[in-house]
Amino acid sequence: MNVVFISPQFPPQFFHFVSALRERGVNVLGIGDAPYDSLRHELREALAEYFFTPNLNDVGALVRAVGYFTWRHGRIDRIDSLNETWLELEAQLREDFHVPGLQPADIAQLRSKLGMHDVFKKAGVAHPDAIPARDAAGVKAFARKVGYPLVLKPDVGVGAARTFKVSTDAEVDEAFSTPLPGYIAQAFVRGTIVTYDGLVDASGHIVFAFSHEYSDGIMESVLEQRDLTIWSHKELAPALDSLGRKAVAALGLRERWFHLEFFRMADGSYVALEANLRPPGAFLTDMMNYACDMDVYRLWARMLTGEDLRGFRYTSKYHVCHIARRTGHAYRHGHAEVVARLGDALLQHREMPSVFTSALGDEMYLTRHPELDSMREAVRFIQARR
């Protein structure tokens, strides 16, 4: 089996996906924008071949790379990156080389927030109303229908980059003082963000599903530079599981990771925010492993190579927590104090890659706790300000 893996070196933990495929006997062919000599040893060992290109947006270079791999190794069976940035690129390559998986037409609908809006509404999954934000007049008319505040954001994009909230007609006019091509206006929903993350196999069966909760929205974390906290739930709320399964089915996902974001409302109901056709970001794949004492990297490789996983069982044993700090904030407790206080509960301490810092902080403590109260105490201690 020949699998082309785009950007195998980033995010930094994704080398585990490549190693897991290699363990299954897969011929893994990498394309990346990091020189071969800079790849970590485990990645070089797992890759059968690697094509370096300084710019992964150079479609011609990637077509040549996959063409070369096809000539040298035979038919390509899968092309993936598991990365939001390259979803459109990998879909185009699949179409060009007749490889199964999401095609450009699928991505055009499912990566578009308006496309998701239509899919969710048709399936009866609660979702905030949204329209294309073509001009200030149209947005103000929309506000008269659904009420302020509204969120203005790119129709295609990840995270909260270039996303902002408007609460009055004057703020709408101010927003449109500069062009906003490709933007949508969406009704603002006040709730707690929880995720529905997992794997769905080639027949549409959900292999596993998991949920994380965010202390703040990503938009608030970026715009207000808050100290974000993300933690895993030991139990999956039945209402969330039911709605998540309905959303995955409506999206028609097969043989893929999914990362769906929902608002949990004050009354316990859920409203879908958006769908992402990839694993959850940052180090949440590691968090799932620590929570359940399993290996989602190997699980994905088992699914991709055709193993029947309908009998797979897992138990979430711990709350695993990403606790962020920012270099611009003055904290009461230094790093050495944090390490001493947490003891065995501390799993990792990392400086965050620059692409993550705006939303997820400059450094991260990853902790594990059998009970929610001990997790909350760790959060308070780490993020306490002077």
Side-chain angles (χ1 to χ4, degrees), residues 265-283:
M265 310 304 288
D267 63 0
S269 64
Y270 293 89
V271 174
L273 174 58
E274 65 181 47
N276 297 281
L277 317 177
R278 54 167 174 80
F283 294 95

Side-chain angles (χ1 to χ4, degrees), residues 110-126:
L110 299 181
R111 199 175 178 221
S112 156
K113 293 178 178 63
L114 287 175
M116 293 178 211
H117 173 275
D118 294 344
V119 169
F120 286 147
K121 291 288 187 179
K122 184 176 180 181
V125 175

Side-chain angles (χ1 to χ4, degrees), residues 114 129-148 150-152 166 168-169 171-173 175-176 180 183-187:
L114 287 175
D129 288 334
I131 61 164
R134 296 192 177 94
D135 54 41
V139 171
K140 286 185 278 189
F142 179 61
R144 287 194 290 274
K145 176 183 175 185
V146 302
Y148 282 117
L150 303 176
V151 177
L152 300 179
V166 291
T168 65
D169 284 0
E171 290 181 4
V172 172
D173 288 332
F176 278 90
L180 296 175
Y183 265 62
I184 69 166
Q186 188 174 66

Side-chain angles (χ1 to χ4, degrees), residues 35-343:
Y36 180 78
D37 290 345
S38 72
L39 303 181
R40 61 188 302 151
H41 172 75
E42 298 95 330
L43 189 51
R44 295 200 303 268
E45 287 288 307
L47 289 169
E49 197 158 0
Y50 181 73
F51 187 99
F52 166 66
T53 176
N55 181 7
L56 284 175
N57 289 306
D58 184 349
V59 177
L62 271 71
V63 169
R64 290 191 294 274
V66 178
Y68 166 75
F69 288 152
T70 302
W71 169 77
R72 184 164 172 80
H73 299 277
R75 178 178 176 82
I76 303 301
D77 298 288
R78 298 291 187 275
I79 298 173
D80 220 322
S81 68
L82 305 180
N83 193 314
E84 185 81 26
T85 305
W86 313 118
L87 285 175
E88 293 176 346
L89 178 63
E90 67 193 36
Q92 186 59 57
L93 291 171
R94 290 191 198 104
E95 184 176 74
D96 292 343
F97 289 90
H98 308 288
V99 174
L102 292 174
Q103 304 294 308
D106 302 319
I107 295 294
Q109 181 181 40
L110 299 181
R111 199 175 178 221
S112 156
K113 293 178 178 63
L114 287 175
M116 293 178 211
H117 173 275
D118 294 344
V119 169
F120 286 147
K121 291 288 187 179
K122 184 176 180 181
V125 175
H127 184 63
D129 288 334
I131 61 164
R134 296 192 177 94
D135 54 41
V139 171
K140 286 185 278 189
F142 179 61
R144 287 194 290 274
K145 176 183 175 185
V146 302
Y148 282 117
L150 303 176
V151 177
L152 300 179
K153 55 186 176 181
D155 185 36
V156 175
V158 62
R162 299 177 293 122
T163 295
F164 49 96
K165 185 167 67 173
V166 291
S167 300
T168 65
D169 284 0
E171 290 181 4
V172 172
D173 288 332
E174 183 180 353
F176 278 90
S177 63
T178 57
L180 296 175
Y183 265 62
I184 69 166
Q186 188 174 66
F188 179 80
V189 176
R190 191 175 302 280
T192 299
I193 294 182
V194 295
T195 70
Y196 187 73
D197 306 318
L199 282 171
V200 59
D201 69 14
S203 64
H205 169 74
I206 291 180
V207 175
F208 87 94
F210 204 78
S211 182
H212 297 89
E213 183 167 330
Y214 292 30
S215 62
D216 296 288
I218 295 296
M219 181 175 70
E220 289 80 9
S221 179
V222 171
L223 298 180
E224 301 174 26
Q225 293 293 279
R226 297 183 184 180
D227 288 335
L228 187 69
T229 305
I230 306 171
W231 66 94
S232 59
H233 288 276
K234 287 169 66 174
E235 295 181 0
L236 187 58
L240 177 62
D241 189 35
S242 176
L243 199 60
R245 289 176 182 274
K246 190 174 184 179
V248 169
L251 293 163
L253 299 182
R254 296 289 185 274
E255 199 182 79
R256 283 205 74 82
W257 278 94
F258 54 84
H259 170 55
L260 312 183
E261 296 179 357
F262 290 85
F263 288 111
R264 186 181 65 231
M265 310 304 288
D267 63 0
S269 64
Y270 293 89
V271 174
L273 174 58
E274 65 181 47
N276 297 281
L277 317 177
R278 54 167 174 80
F283 294 95
L284 270 67
T285 44
D286 290 339
M287 289 172 62
M288 290 186 282
N289 284 344
Y290 286 123
C292 301
D293 285 332
M294 64 178 182
D295 191 326
V296 299
Y297 305 104
R298 287 189 170 107
L299 190 63
W300 173 77
R302 289 165 63 188
M303 181 194 70
L304 201 71
T305 52
E307 183 177 338
D308 186 349
L309 295 172
R310 284 173 293 180
F312 176 73
R313 297 290 181 268
Y314 60 98
T315 301
S316 183
K317 306 173 185 177
Y318 305 97
H319 298 284
V320 178
C321 191
H322 165 121
I323 307 172
R325 300 214 298 195
R326 296 184 182 275
T327 54
H329 297 166
Y331 297 98
R332 187 179 306 161
H333 306 291
H335 175 68
E337 289 179 86
V338 170
V339 172
R341 175 67 172 262
L342 292 178

Side-chain angles (χ1 to χ4, degrees), residues 16-28 42 45-48 301:
H16 289 301
F17 286 118
V18 178
S19 296
L21 285 174
R22 183 60 182 162
E23 286 179 3
R24 302 283 295 176
V26 173
N27 209 37
V28 190
E42 298 95 330
E45 287 288 307
L47 289 169

